[in-house]
Amino acid sequence: MTDTTPTKTIAESRESLILGLYMALAGYAVLAGIPVISTAWSNLLGFTEEQVGRVAGADLGGLAAGAVLAALFVAKANRRQIVLVAIAIAAVANVACAFYQDYMTTLILRFIAGVGSGLFTGVAVATLGARSNPAKAFNYLLFSFAFVQAGEMYVLPRLPMTTIYFVFAATYLITVPLLRWLPERPPETVLSEETDEGDSSVAVSPAIPKSVPWLFLIAMALTYVNIGAYWTYIELASARAGLDAEWVSSVLVWVSLFGLIGCLVATVISDRVGMGKPLLLTLLLHAFVVYLLVNDIDPPRFLISVYAFNFLWIFIDVYQMGSVASVCKTGRFATLMPAAQGIGQIIGPNIAASLLAAGHGYSSVFLLCALASLAAFVVYFIAYLLLRGLPSDVVAGAKSIGAKAIGMRA
């Protein structure tokens, strides 16, 4: 007990929570600011619309690759050492981007930076997921994400491209003196639960179909195909439609802050009626609000679509993260969430870029977004059917998450 007490204390400490939140927010920084970053790549570096999609996909695809690597090592390797490697990769790649700004070099460097970011974010999510109440920690993350997103929307358009890269590098380097707050290993309490089961590789209860957490991750990836394509191109699409650039920029700032309300409302709803049914309904609404832009992009449609999109995005993330946490007790699948998000982020922008390169226009991009959200709806619906009728204690995960929380019969 003497050897494990410090690990438990660090894992549950306020400092560990703060560091985990900061690391996750820093890791997701490109995702949060991708509309204005994409515009900067286009306006400041002269990349075409297709090239913007490729670079965005490489960056966020690197996030997926790094998160997969984190999932492979986070349970066995020293997490502080993983983070130091991640910081070195992400910081060096971001600094290099400031000096080598041609398209092909940027494409490669953004992928490398994404790998570092994925390693970094994977450890952060594992740290949050290993707490005694992971659902609460993820709610803190999503609540904070809205502030960070709004800040990026306001600040980044006012910076030159080189400064943006240096800011990203600095966000990783700041972590180095704070690593003493990061647990080096998974909490002993989690490991003991695995040992009690008799097989440390078991991440979910044997009563839950093994396909369920994987279906959750597939659906998350499909959701982020929608988010990746929409969020990468929404500002460029508004510019092509002739909307005032300053007005669009201010709308994006307020839209990000509006996400705070989405986080609060989603939490209240999940506490009362669970997450399954609200998630399915939200995915249908998400498909509808992106489909609004298929035929035309005028100020009223843009305003309704982008506000509803960001509001519902927070809903979706609250419910998706909670659903994964509810069926996974070791944190292994929680660590794979950034990978699922990143896979969607590389697929969405790249398909969108191909559609634009083929001359199909932004209407095809927003149709792609709607179809991806509907596909996620179908996958989640199948997962919930597989869980239907299981006893509530089988799927109890976080304190407030049980059969009712994931939409099954209580």
Side-chain angles (χ1 to χ4, degrees):
M1 291 299 294
T2 303
D3 294 334
T4 58
T5 300
T7 303
K8 286 185 181 180
T9 303
I10 295 173
E12 292 296 332
S13 69
R14 181 180 301 176
E15 291 82 3
S16 173
L17 174 62
I18 292 172
L19 181 60
L21 290 172
Y22 173 80
M23 288 174 58
L25 293 170
Y28 283 130
V30 172
L31 168 61
I34 198 66
V36 292
I37 297 170
S38 295
T39 300
W41 284 329
S42 177
N43 294 343
L44 302 180
L45 301 185
F47 293 171
T48 66
E49 292 171 331
E50 179 187 1
Q51 289 173 336
V52 166
R54 305 297 185 204
V55 174
D59 200 320
L60 299 167
L63 176 77
V68 171
L69 289 175
L72 294 176
F73 297 108
V74 76
K76 299 178 181 179
N78 186 310
R79 293 183 176 185
R80 295 179 187 176
Q81 293 178 357
I82 295 175
V83 171
L84 285 173
V85 171
I87 291 171
I89 294 172
V92 170
N94 274 288
V95 171
C97 284
F99 295 99
Y100 302 96
Q101 298 186 351
D102 63 282
Y103 167 66
M104 188 54 65
T105 304
T106 298
L107 185 73
I108 296 170
L109 289 175
R110 292 321 303 166
F111 178 80
I112 295 172
V115 171
S117 176
L119 279 168
F120 193 81
T121 309
V123 174
V125 172
T127 301
L128 297 176
R131 296 183 67 83
S132 58
N133 192 339
K136 187 175 182 180
F138 289 139
N139 279 341
Y140 285 147
L141 171 60
L142 294 170
F143 192 79
S144 304
F145 182 84
F147 284 105
V148 171
Q149 189 179 61
E152 289 192 53
M153 295 298 174
Y154 181 79
V155 174
L156 294 186
R158 292 161 172 77
L159 301 177
M161 198 73 240
T162 54
T163 304
I164 292 174
Y165 290 137
F166 281 121
V167 168
F168 284 149
T171 59
Y172 294 102
L173 295 171
I174 289 171
T175 310
V176 174
L178 306 177
L179 285 181
R180 65 184 184 278
W181 294 345
L182 182 71
E184 295 180 283
R185 307 282 176 181
E188 187 264 347
T189 51
V190 173
L191 295 179
S192 65
E193 285 180 7
E194 295 173 0
T195 304
D196 290 342
E197 293 292 334
D199 182 0
S200 62
S201 66
V202 176
V204 297
S205 169
I208 296 177
K210 293 182 180 179
S211 60
V212 167
W214 291 110
L215 286 173
F216 282 163
L217 291 173
I218 291 170
M220 184 178 288
L222 288 168
T223 301
Y224 270 80
V225 170
N226 169 24
I227 292 170
Y230 184 99
W231 207 234
T232 296
Y233 281 111
I234 185 60
E235 190 167 8
L236 290 173
S238 68
R240 176 63 66 90
L243 274 60
D244 180 74
E246 289 189 11
W247 177 76
V248 169
S249 180
S250 66
V251 167
L252 291 175
V253 173
W254 288 107
V255 159
S256 301
L257 289 174
F258 191 63
L260 293 170
I261 301 175
C263 188
L264 294 173
V265 174
T267 302
V268 170
I269 291 176
S270 66
D271 287 343
R272 295 192 176 188
V273 302
M275 291 181 292
K277 292 176 182 178
L279 174 57
L280 294 174
L281 176 60
T282 303
L283 288 168
L284 292 177
L285 291 173
H286 223 213
F288 173 74
V289 300
V290 298
Y291 186 78
L292 279 178
L293 303 181
V294 169
N295 295 322
D296 189 24
I297 304 177
D298 54 27
R301 287 173 183 261
F302 173 81
L303 204 61
I304 293 170
S305 178
V306 77
Y307 265 99
F309 180 90
N310 215 55
F311 182 80
L312 295 171
W313 176 4
I314 298 297
F315 262 66
I316 289 170
D317 272 352
V318 168
Y319 299 145
Q320 286 186 142
M321 289 182 171
S323 294
V324 173
S326 71
V327 297
C328 176
K329 60 183 180 176
T330 66
R332 187 182 75 183
F333 287 101
T335 308
L336 288 173
M337 287 193 293
Q341 293 165 334
I343 289 171
Q345 291 277 5
I346 193 172
I347 294 173
N350 271 288
I351 294 178
S354 296
L355 291 171
L356 292 172
H360 295 298
Y362 283 108
S363 61
S364 64
V365 172
F366 295 118
L367 180 60
L368 162 71
C369 294
L371 292 174
S373 189
L374 292 175
F377 170 90
V378 172
V379 176
Y380 272 121
F381 188 78
I382 293 171
Y384 291 139
L385 286 179
L386 292 174
L387 289 170
R388 189 175 180 82
L390 291 179
S392 61
D393 60 330
V394 169
V395 291
K399 209 170 193 180
S400 62
I401 302 173
K404 181 181 178 185
I406 54 177
M408 299 185 298
R409 187 180 66 214

